[in-house]
Amino acid sequence: MRMHKETGLTFDDVLLVPKRSSIRSRSVVDTSTLLVPGIRMAIPIISSNMDTVTESSMAIAMAHEGGIGIVHRFLSIQQQADLVQKVKRFEGFIVENPICVSPQLSIEEAGQRMDDAGIGGLMVVDDKKHLLGIVTTRDILLAPDRLKSVETVMKSQSQVIVASEDEPFEEARLKLHLHRIEKLPVVDGDNRVVGLITAQDVIKFHKHPLATKDTKGRLRVGVAIGVREEDIKRAKTCVDAGADVLVVDVAHGHSDHTIRMVEKLKKSFPDEPVIAGNVATPEGVRDLANAGASAVKVGVGSGSICITRVVTGFGVPQLTVVAECAVVGHSMGIPIIADGGIRTSGDITKALAAGASSVMLGSLLAGTDESPGAAVMRGGKRYKIVRGMASLTANVDRKSLDRHDELEDEEWGEIIPEGVEAIVPYRGNVADILHQLLGGLRSGMSYAGSKTIRELWKNAEFIRITDAGRKESGVHDVNVL
Ligand code: XMP
């Protein structure tokens, strides 16, 4: 037995000491950061890979606002890849491999295909993918006979304006404008469809100036991966669907199987950044980085829905984790992601000040419109459900998914949960929440006299506080209206 030399601290144990500042307005503060080397985000916020937090709607909203979402892995490989594809197709200057159909497809079926994919038009092609025309929702809705074939209602090739593979953004915009059209198929030299530019995407391209995008203008998205053999297939399918980053997510990430998984992934996908975690020690960061991780997620048992510390006795208070891990992370050029336990914008500022490059949020985002699941009513108020990925029901669902069958009653009792199911207040949309959090962070950075997160790392000075100091820090001695 050995006692750790330091006392572990977390967010409520400290405050940041205000510093002389030359920052006159919060708007000059730059919150941009590296997710991994090579991928910059305008805001240092990631939505957690929990099944009550991140699927495609959350990932789209997060990327729009300048962060990123990590799609959870508690679904089939194909379902996860489909969610990735939804994000990648959502916008982008050029949609790659747009959905194409044969001219003989019935109008009815074409309508169904559009509904399923959530899109408003299909490319009509021959069996070698040569463009024959376009059919849109409008053509389908106005068709008198939905059993007829698509070719009877499509706009034929002679009427379709096309773009080339290397069409500059401005020219595409001009074509859409001048011809008053919604869709611009992208064709190669042989008139084969290779992409699609839509008016909606061009408009959206300007609507979210901070969006986290890849080199093709598509929103970025990450996927969570486990450490089993089949997770290599999961990774490949998701990378093929366009995932920008793989997140090896294990409760105890400082383990041989996680390290081996990171090595395997780097071997199989040398160009794909891999984030690994979770760990709670500098040694954990070093071992995962040496295995090839581009960034490391830190935090064990700090999450709002976690009971790991209660059930196992293990964990380290989160601010200490971040500060200690960041020392190694910074020296190795590995961004640290502070995952779990963030409740306020003040906590975000503290996590970054302690050395994190970004934070991962779970329950703070679980109450939004964009998280999976519907809102529930309790006592006349709206709530959404959030559950730990090691909670009883999440374990049951995962096991049922693995063996394509429901669990027997007695098998429920064999599970040792390390998370809980809970409700959080409904909070509206992600953009509004992020606006509040970012406003607080910007103010916080200006109190530290720091225009950038790097400066915050340098300037931050923490002071430990007592119970009396904590009491003084909240609203006190008044009745809040
Ligand atoms: P917050 O506090 O943002 O934390 O809701 C989200 C993070 O909590 C982790 N997580 C778990 N940890 N048991 C745990 O010990 C669980 O069941 C569980 N589910 C999620 C995870 O790191 C997430 O990002």
Side-chain angles (χ1 to χ4, degrees), residues 48-50 249 278 297 299-308 339-342 360-364 386-391 418-420:
S48 174
N49 44 280
M50 293 162 68
D249 183 64
N278 279 18
K297 209 149 71 80
V300 170
S302 52
S304 57
I305 33 54
C306 304
I307 50 170
T308 294
D339 176 20
I342 303 266
M360 178 172 261
L361 305 183
S363 61
L364 209 47
V386 59
R387 67 174 182 179
M389 295 322 307
S391 63
E418 286 187 32
V420 297

Side-chain angles (χ1 to χ4, degrees), residues 250-314:
V250 185
H252 183 26
H254 194 192
S255 55
D256 293 350
H257 52 273
T258 311
I259 290 169
R260 269 200 300 276
M261 186 64 176
V262 173
E263 286 167 350
K264 269 193 213 160
L265 287 172
K266 283 317 288 181
K267 222 177 194 176
S268 308
F269 315 101
D271 298 330
E272 193 76 6
V274 174
I275 296 173
N278 279 18
V279 301
T281 59
E283 294 77 19
V285 175
R286 190 175 304 121
D287 287 348
L288 291 175
N290 284 336
S294 308
V296 175
K297 209 149 71 80
V298 304
V300 170
S302 52
S304 57
I305 33 54
C306 304
I307 50 170
T308 294
R309 293 181 187 175
V310 180
V311 172
T312 71
F314 278 78

